[in-house]
Amino acid sequence: SSSSSSSRLHMGLLDGLRHKFLQSRDGDFVKLTTTTDAGVFGPGPLLILYHVPTGIVNDEIQDMLQDEAPQAWRRCQEQLLQHNNNNNFNNDNILPMARLDDTNLPQLQDSVLSLPLETALETLLASPPDTRNQQEPFRANPPATTATTTTTTPVLLFSGFSNPEMLRVYKVLSNEIYLENQAEAACAKVVPNALNKPLQQVLDEICGDHQDALRMVQQEQQEEQDDDGPTQKT
């Protein structure tokens, strides 16, 4: 089917990203492992969804988080129990998420995006987006869109997740994003050397590195197709 072929293409590109691009940028990235839970870092758990298609609603993402990141989910449940009298927590959206897109980015420029990453994360955690009232810039479930393509790179920025759980969530959610609008989502984890950078700068750098990686993989695929193509007799 067309959906299965799209998924195969998507996963093929992910394989390319893990190999050729990362090899060419040795030292620029932190190696992640799927065999240990070491590496939990940053405030959270918190998931920032930057330009993620609005057709993928929060309830669906929360289900993915519960299934693929059970340890992060349990930590959030413990926080919920500890703050059961605090309105910042609710039972419907246990794991805090921040959806950032064109509908709220202008309003968040000074209050969140321009802040150092660590401060921005703490700000989002102090008032989880899904529990803010509708007068504020965050929305619990954004309206669905009929768009099938996008020119903006979706980003999944994880804070306070173990490496294995982050990778599992990314694999499932990035595939849903690709099926929704054929966009290859970028994945990043909060690391110490980024904490003093403004959140917007961090997101821009993630997008730029991801686009460079996609261009490298697609160029290599095109070169392989050219090398394997039919030859004409003269």
Side-chain angles (χ1 to χ4, degrees), residues 216-228:
M216 177 177 292
V217 172
Q218 291 168 347
Q219 180 179 359
E220 182 178 350
Q221 289 178 341
Q222 184 61 52
E223 290 174 352
E224 290 177 353
Q225 291 177 3
D226 294 341
D227 291 340
D228 295 339

Side-chain angles (χ1 to χ4, degrees), residues 9-22 24-25 28-29 50-53 150-158 167 170-171 173-175 177-178 181-189 201-219:
L9 172 61
H10 165 71
M11 296 310 297
L13 284 170
L14 290 182
D15 289 338
L17 292 177
R18 281 194 291 266
H19 292 92
K20 297 294 291 184
F21 179 69
L22 296 183
S24 71
R25 299 287 294 275
D28 289 351
F29 297 89
Y50 182 67
H51 287 295
V52 168
T150 182
T151 58
T152 305
T153 299
V155 174
L156 307 177
L157 179 57
F158 294 80
L167 292 172
Y170 172 63
K171 182 178 180 180
L173 184 49
S174 65
N175 190 60
I177 291 171
Y178 187 80
N181 62 3
Q182 288 71 60
E184 297 288 347
C187 175
K189 180 182 179 180
Q201 179 182 339
V202 172
L203 293 170
D204 290 343
E205 290 179 356
I206 295 168
C207 289
D209 287 339
H210 188 71
Q211 290 165 2
D212 288 345
L214 287 176
R215 281 192 291 270
M216 177 177 292
V217 172
Q218 291 168 347
Q219 180 179 359

Side-chain angles (χ1 to χ4, degrees), residues 27-32 39-43 116-118 121 157-161 163 166 187-197 202 205-206:
D28 289 351
F29 297 89
V30 176
K31 185 176 181 180
L32 302 178
V40 175
F41 179 81
L117 177 60
E118 185 173 20
L121 294 172
L157 179 57
F158 294 80
S159 180
F161 282 77
N163 295 339
M166 180 198 72
C187 175
K189 180 182 179 180
V190 172
V191 293
N193 63 0
L195 291 179
N196 293 324
K197 295 181 179 181
V202 172
E205 290 179 356
I206 295 168

Side-chain angles (χ1 to χ4, degrees), residues 1-10 175 178-179:
S1 67
S2 60
S3 62
S4 61
S5 61
S6 295
S7 180
R8 286 196 297 271
L9 172 61
H10 165 71
N175 190 60
Y178 187 80
L179 294 176

Side-chain angles (χ1 to χ4, degrees), residues 83-98:
H83 300 80
N84 57 2
N85 293 322
N86 189 326
N87 290 330
N88 285 342
F89 293 86
N90 67 55
N91 290 310
D92 295 327
N93 299 286
I94 289 178
L95 202 152
M97 304 187 308

